[in-house]
Amino acid sequence: DAKTTQPPSMDCAEGRAANLPCNHSTISGNEYVYWYRQIHSQGPQYIIHGLKNNETNEMASLIITEDRKSSTLILPHATLRDTAVYYCIVGKGGAGSYQLTFGKGTKLSVIP
Amino acid sequence: EAGVAQSPRYKIIEKRQSVAFWCNPISGHATLYWYQQILGQGPKLLIQFQNNGVVDDSQLPKDRFSAERLKGVDSTLKIQPAKLEDSAVYLCASSLERWNTEAFFGQGTRLTVV
């Protein structure tokens, strides 16, 4: 699976948009980009995933560059409850072995 | 729907003792994962089951760790004997299909080996 690079930490003011970047320059054509987050003392929680088109759900938006070498997770109106470690993961979503290989993620702190 | 259940939530043992963790996945989920998360790191996959068969256990330290998933539902992860470096949170996750894109995680079991 392709490796990802994320900043170790970021701050965001409450109510503002949080933009979390991820580099995955070695991604292959059939690999998806997944985002999970882990709030303190809890298990990881799925947020969103995409292949090459931008995606949006009730939690966040995922913007993938045209060359698919990087992506950005956007939390449109960050709240204190969004303080967590955010993991960007690249892996195969189709038939075959599907695994989530976690890196160290980005620790997002939402500040009042 | 009920989430992934794990027990116990916390466990403290001495090195060289044995310990077992239990996981009950979401009903109907064919795929079950065990992860180890050391403080300050992301979760590391230990073993993956599809129903009651092992899909991947390449990162499981088989000299001391074992896991089973009888009848393709509940699963247990055992460590025998435990080492200090096994201190971590052990997370269980499940998903509907092997290639399903969303995995659901339990709250984990925090193991401290002293």
Side-chain angles (χ1 to χ4, degrees), chain A residues 55-70:
Chain A
E55 302 287 345
T56 296
N57 63 20
E58 65 278 4
M59 288 182 69
S61 295
L62 173 60
I63 308 298
I64 302 174
T65 58
E66 193 169 343
D67 63 7
R68 302 207 326 120
K69 293 185 177 182
S70 65

Side-chain angles (χ1 to χ4, degrees), chain B residues 12-30:
Chain B
I12 301 174
I13 62 171
E14 295 182 351
K15 59 183 178 183
R16 293 188 289 275
Q17 285 187 323
S18 62
V19 63
F21 313 125
W22 174 81
C23 173
N24 185 11
I26 293 174
S27 178
H29 280 194

